[in-house]
Amino acid sequence: MAKTWSNRFEQGLNPVIESFNASITFDINLIQEDLDGSKAHVAMLADCGIISTKEAAQIDEALEKIRLEADQGFFQQNLVDEDVHYAVERRLIELIGPVGKKLHTGRSRNDQVGTDLRLWLRRQIDLLDIDLKRFQKALFDQSNSHLYTLIPGYTHLQRAQPVSLAHHLLAYIEMIQRDRERLLDVRKRVNISPLGAAALAGTSVPINPRKTASKLGFSDIYNNSLDAVSDRDFAVEFASASSLIMTHLSRLSEEVILWASEEFSFVQLTDRCATGSSLMPQKKNPDVPELVRGKCGRVFGHLQALLTMIKGLPLAYNKDFQEDKEALFDTVRTVRISLEAMSILLEEGLEFRTSRLSAAVESDFSNATDVADYLVSKGIAFREAYQIVGGVVKRCLDDGILLRDLKIHEWQEINPLIGRDLFDRLSPKQVVASRISEGGTGFSRVKEQLNYWREALAS
Ligand code: ARG
């Protein structure tokens, strides 16, 4: 049965090829946007006098009927339709007969699919922004409860200097803020209408592409019809911004996984988000952050797939582009569910073990820099102070004691400039409190940051 295409075709497709060629199984996901795009197109056709107002009204009404069928799950999709665009047109003609055949005037599936995809992605970006903000709020709430909780700060995963736990978590709020800004920037380029470019060259039908663009809320239209139908940069940019979101989620995931281990024991997973083992009854596993970490692979993969798909394509439209959809759909699905899961994890899935954390920061040499800084305040050059403290640390390690265990006379033998006030500088609380340089972990600075984010996230 030769159906969809023109009379040039005499024979039907091989059934395997028919199914290989079809995108209806996944691009049905775009049906709402396809209907929105068609409604705008048909209204424009009437505005421009290309079809009558009555015809436009008839088509519009039928498109709304199709929307209802889709919403209620009655919309019939089959492989014969090839894709969502044909499926809608087929149903339209079924519903209203020959008038329905006027819908595709001055349009091609090439500009149509670009329009649908951009409308869909624009909406997804807006939803993602809400997800990202919720995640930031969850980070904020944990931060807000832990301004004075200290956690070892690491470099090279070696204890470096203690920090406020709020400060540590607020670092992730910053990353997510950049993610939001990046998406907003991508949105600007998503929000350009390709509708009117037709197959590749524009059309001789006297359409007005600016009308459809404004009806659909696009901020502008294409400048070049060839570029309009063959630009998928926006998909790559989106996949790239999504990859960074996943990267940030994965870094936090990795930390939570470490923190939940017996070795760290910095957090306890609640029963709401942890899972058990089928064999070992004592286990409580951090499946949520592990899955998020694991799901990075597919999002990075989609970015790579999109880049590779585009790189060899001559202008303008090529069927290769059909591959963009599943990549984008899965990217959005993965990023959104990962953000939601990580938000829940922060909201109700983990508790910081403050006693373990304070024991951790009390039992190391992460106040060594503060002794060096103290000597600097007494007029000793930093590099010299650094060497002196290195020697003291070695001696303490040999004796199995900490810096605070040295007696005042022992300190004064090391350097006579040292007074009792050094001991105030050694407590982890003081170590943290003293780091008041802008953006530092000093409590007064972190408080500023908390105030900033409380307001920023309230609006
Ligand atoms: N299903 C197609 C896609 O996703 C729609 C555009 C088809 N255009 C064409 N000339 N075959 O890209």
Side-chain angles (χ1 to χ4, degrees):
M1 176 186 58
K3 21 81 242 191
T4 315
W5 300 298
S6 71
N7 292 332
R8 172 179 171 174
F9 288 83
E10 287 173 1
Q11 278 201 310
L13 270 174
N14 173 304
V16 174
I17 299 304
E18 178 172 75
S19 131
F20 181 67
N21 197 45
S23 53
I24 183 84
T25 51
F26 51 85
D27 67 16
I28 189 72
N29 205 19
L30 297 174
I31 190 161
Q32 297 293 340
E33 289 75 16
D34 199 70
L35 292 165
D36 294 341
S38 288
K39 278 167 63 82
H41 182 67
V42 93
M44 178 278 291
L45 290 177
D47 286 351
C48 294
I50 299 161
I51 62 173
S52 75
T53 324
K54 190 164 157 250
E55 288 167 332
Q58 241 181 309
I59 296 175
D60 189 270
E61 196 184 318
L63 290 171
E64 278 308 326
K65 181 138 195 267
I66 295 173
R67 196 192 297 280
L68 207 66
E69 291 176 354
D71 288 345
Q72 297 177 340
F74 296 131
F75 183 75
Q76 294 280 335
Q77 63 185 80
N78 40 54
L79 283 184
V80 182
D81 291 327
E82 184 180 334
D83 58 26
V84 66
H85 323 296
Y86 272 140
V88 168
E89 198 178 338
R90 188 250 317 141
R91 182 66 185 138
L92 180 72
I93 295 166
E94 264 171 30
L95 285 171
I96 56 172
V99 181
K101 297 185 177 177
K102 297 199 171 186
L103 170 67
H104 212 51
T105 314
R107 184 177 76 170
S108 152
R109 276 185 302 155
N110 298 351
D111 58 345
Q112 185 179 0
V113 72
T115 305
D116 291 5
L117 201 55
R118 285 168 184 264
L119 287 173
W120 179 83
L121 193 56
R122 185 179 73 185
R123 175 157 166 66
Q124 297 305 317
I125 288 175
D126 294 343
L127 292 171
L128 261 168
D129 190 62
I130 297 171
D131 297 338
L132 286 161
K133 192 166 174 192
R134 171 182 176 185
F135 181 56
Q136 283 183 312
K137 281 192 175 140
L139 285 163
F140 174 83
D141 288 342
Q142 282 286 2
S143 307
N144 201 34
S145 337
H146 289 293
L147 171 60
Y148 295 107
T149 304
L150 306 188
I151 183 169
Y154 297 84
T155 63
H156 315 266
L157 198 58
Q158 303 289 321
R159 296 265 181 101
Q161 294 168 355
V163 294
S164 152
L165 176 53
H167 193 56
H168 190 111
L169 295 172
L170 287 173
Y172 286 98
I173 286 206
E174 297 286 341
M175 298 178 218
I176 300 300
Q177 188 61 24
R178 292 196 294 277
D179 290 329
R180 290 177 68 186
E181 285 165 15
R182 251 185 296 273
L183 280 181
L184 224 63
D185 197 57
V186 174
R187 192 187 190 282
K188 289 186 210 152
R189 285 174 293 282
V190 170
N191 202 24
I192 303 291
S193 177
L195 197 56
L200 76 163
T203 172
S204 58
V205 180
I207 57 163
N208 185 345
R210 297 207 176 261
K211 280 216 161 132
T212 38
S214 95
K215 283 181 207 298
L216 293 168
F218 284 114
S219 67
D220 203 353
I221 69 163
Y222 61 92
N223 293 318
N224 179 305
S225 62
L226 292 165
D227 182 43
V229 292
S230 67
D231 167 24
R232 292 294 182 278
D233 293 5
F234 69 91
V236 172
E237 285 190 63
F238 177 78
S240 164
S242 296
S243 296
L244 271 170
I245 296 173
M246 291 305 290
T247 301
H248 296 149
L249 294 184
S250 184
R251 293 185 76 176
L252 179 61
S253 295
E254 175 63 14
E255 295 208 295
V256 171
I257 293 162
L258 283 173
W259 292 342
S261 69
E262 190 80 37
E263 285 68 17
F264 277 81
S265 300
F266 289 173
V267 298
Q268 193 161 305
L269 299 171
T270 71
D271 295 355
R272 298 280 286 166
C273 284
T275 45
S277 154
S278 59
L279 175 78
M280 298 163 282
Q282 85 284 8
K283 297 259 327 243
K284 207 169 190 189
N285 294 328
D287 286 22
V288 170
E290 288 176 292
L291 273 172
V292 169
R293 191 178 56 182
K295 282 178 190 293
C296 281
R298 57 162 85 200
V299 175
F300 299 176
H302 294 317
L303 171 61
Q304 198 60 40
L306 286 166
L307 284 167
T308 310
M309 174 195 81
I310 297 166
K311 75 177 261 297
L313 297 185
L315 294 179
Y317 178 86
N318 298 267
K319 184 81 169 194
D320 311 47
F321 285 138
Q322 185 161 291
E323 290 289 310
D324 61 8
K325 278 155 222 76
E326 285 165 294
L328 285 178
F329 295 164
D330 188 66
T331 298
V332 166
R333 190 169 34 241
T334 305
V335 177
R336 293 201 63 196
I337 190 66
S338 300
L339 273 169
E340 191 176 2
M342 287 301 280
S343 298
I344 293 171
L345 182 69
L346 287 171
E347 286 159 3
E348 52 179 293
L350 58 84
E351 280 153 12
F352 285 94
R353 302 183 62 185
T354 48
S355 57
R356 280 282 314 176
L357 285 163
S358 80
V361 294
E362 290 285 354
S363 62
D364 60 23
F365 290 88
S366 55
N367 49 5
T369 314
D370 296 78
V371 180
D373 289 347
Y374 174 86
L375 292 173
V376 167
S377 77
K378 299 286 172 188
I380 297 175
F382 175 75
R383 191 52 67 205
E384 198 183 321
Y386 166 88
Q387 290 296 359
I388 294 171
V389 181
V392 179
V393 169
K394 174 159 183 357
R395 171 177 158 189
C396 290
L397 282 170
D398 290 346
D399 297 350
I401 57 171
L402 294 169
L403 289 173
R404 62 158 186 257
D405 299 325
L406 284 173
K407 304 281 173 293
I408 182 67
H409 70 90
E410 293 172 300
W411 279 113
Q412 283 170 345
E413 280 160 28
I414 293 159
N415 191 298
L417 293 171
I418 294 176
R420 285 190 180 280
D421 56 342
L422 172 66
F423 291 101
D424 303 334
R425 304 276 294 259
L426 293 181
S427 80
K429 260 227 152 106
Q430 190 47 40
V431 168
V432 173
S434 68
R435 285 180 166 62
I436 51 169
S437 57
E438 208 175 327
T441 195
F443 301 117
S444 55
R445 288 300 189 182
V446 179
K447 230 183 266 177
E448 283 171 10
Q449 292 298 307
L450 285 171
N451 288 338
Y452 170 81
W453 284 111
R454 182 178 300 107
E455 246 182 62
L457 296 172
S459 60

